[in-house]
Amino acid sequence: MRINCPFCGERDLSEFSYLGDADSAKAIASAAQSEREQIDAVYLRANPAGVHRELWYHAFGCGSWLNVTRDTRTHEIFAVQLSRERTP
Amino acid sequence: MSDECAARSIFAAVPHTAGTGRGVIAIERDGLAIAHLAARATQLAQLTERFREHFGMVLPDGARRVAAHGVAVAGIAPQRWLLIGEDAGEEFVSGRLALLEHYAALVELSDAYAVLRLRGAQVRASLAKLVPIDLHDTRFRPGDVAQTVLEHMPVTLWRLEDAPTGEPMIELAVGRSFAVSLYEALRESATEFGFCFEPTAKG
């Protein structure tokens, strides 16, 4: 699998490390929610067979966090965006 | 002062040739002043303007390297650059670069890096065995910069203008504690083409 880093260009998977679901990270950062919703956001993870928005870290490249939209069945990547430029 | 305290090359104690021929020539770039520059979040425009005024160059907006008047600047991440002064002396960072500090975080790294210049007809063939990036003539062009991994070591490399002989020239910067491991990996990779090391190069 290759990820097209917006800064570095297309790079091998071995340069990246995986964090997980990008949308639950957004939910954790949101203050306006109940304790129950926070617990769900922190501990409950969807594990979809299909399109997934996830966070990757370009550890051996430019050190950017990336938001990657990927199909978990085929590893096809639909979009890559710098997390710092992510629209909420 | 005893000899133990004298400055010496980090590559002084390693074998300086391998194989036969000169397919890859490695040259130590000693005495460079190196600093890391990271724009403050809201100051990118001011930093770019100030940098242009004082160094006569535009900060690259991507993984590219530009150089003028003995100073080179390489884009290594969004809004981050590696600055390299040739023969710049110790006052390069504390003096010439200090005026950028209002707009950027500046870290002096001259002793943190070892830099090797590679030239020769087989530079690409040797590096292709070591790094997971495309080094083809049309994909890694003069002025291009890449940060990647070489045998688990993080490296920054950039391609210079070709030598007058037409041979490609690539420089690699690596954390100084990795320098000998990097050198041994290069030497082994280049053995089939003939490898030799030259202590220092200016300019």
Side-chain angles (χ1 to χ4, degrees):
Chain A
M1 191 171 103
R2 287 169 168 273
I3 297 176
N4 193 8
C5 171
F7 187 84
C8 299
E10 196 176 80
R11 293 297 182 90
D12 188 78
L13 179 64
S14 62
E15 292 189 3
F16 297 87
S17 63
Y18 176 71
L19 181 71
D21 185 3
D23 293 320
S24 60
K26 191 167 65 177
I28 293 165
S30 165
Q33 57 186 355
S34 69
E35 190 177 345
R36 183 70 245 169
E37 287 167 330
Q38 283 185 5
I39 289 168
D40 288 353
V42 171
Y43 294 108
L44 297 182
R45 291 283 189 278
N47 186 22
V51 177
H52 190 216
R53 273 171 32 91
E54 49 202 26
L55 286 169
W56 287 80
Y57 178 56
H58 198 182
F60 282 113
C62 63
S64 294
W65 281 97
L66 306 177
N67 282 46
V68 177
T69 309
R70 177 178 70 106
D71 190 317
T72 58
R73 295 165 301 187
T74 61
H75 301 307
E76 183 181 357
I77 291 174
F78 304 102
V80 183
Q81 191 180 19
L82 291 174
S83 298
R84 64 194 293 163
E85 291 173 358
R86 183 180 70 168
T87 48
Chain B
M1 187 189 287
S2 78
D3 284 350
E4 282 179 27
C5 296
R8 61 178 176 178
S9 166
I10 198 168
F11 303 109
V14 295
H16 285 175
T17 58
T20 52
R22 291 167 68 83
V24 176
I25 300 157
I27 303 152
E28 182 180 8
R29 302 298 322 279
D30 202 13
L32 299 174
I34 303 176
H36 185 254
L37 187 73
R40 299 195 191 282
T42 58
Q43 307 277 313
L44 178 62
Q46 293 93 320
L47 175 68
T48 304
E49 179 56 26
R50 194 88 167 139
F51 191 86
R52 193 192 55 73
E53 268 173 37
H54 286 271
F55 295 95
M57 289 182 281
V58 176
L59 284 169
D61 182 29
R64 294 279 298 165
R65 175 186 182 274
V66 290
H69 314 296
V71 176
V73 56
I76 53 170
Q79 301 186 19
R80 289 170 191 265
W81 299 269
L82 202 63
L83 281 158
I84 300 175
E86 315 239 1
D87 293 324
E90 289 178 0
E91 74 290 352
F92 178 65
V93 178
S94 60
R96 286 188 73 190
L97 293 184
L99 54 93
L100 302 172
E101 273 190 304
H102 187 65
Y103 314 100
L106 184 68
V107 183
E108 143 77 276
L109 292 170
S110 302
D111 295 327
Y113 280 105
V115 180
L116 278 174
R117 174 179 295 178
L118 304 181
R119 65 180 175 86
Q122 303 297 336
V123 165
R124 281 192 204 95
S126 296
L127 280 175
K129 292 189 274 182
L130 297 169
V131 292
I133 61 171
D134 190 349
L135 295 170
H136 188 273
D137 189 35
T138 60
R139 295 300 300 271
F140 193 61
R141 298 157 299 152
D144 280 352
V145 178
Q147 289 201 103
T148 185
V149 59
L150 191 159
E151 296 206 343
H152 306 284
M153 296 173 275
V155 292
T156 304
L157 54 157
W158 53 86
R159 183 172 165 197
L160 302 171
E161 291 296 333
D162 291 347
T165 55
E167 295 168 338
M169 291 207 289
I170 291 176
E171 288 187 337
L172 291 101
V174 68
R176 198 162 180 85
S177 59
F178 287 130
V180 172
S181 299
L182 176 93
Y183 178 90
E184 289 294 1
L186 286 171
R187 196 173 68 91
E188 190 167 311
S189 177
T191 299
E192 63 171 305
F193 310 116
F195 173 88
C196 57
F197 172 79
E198 295 174 1
T200 57
K202 301 287 183 191

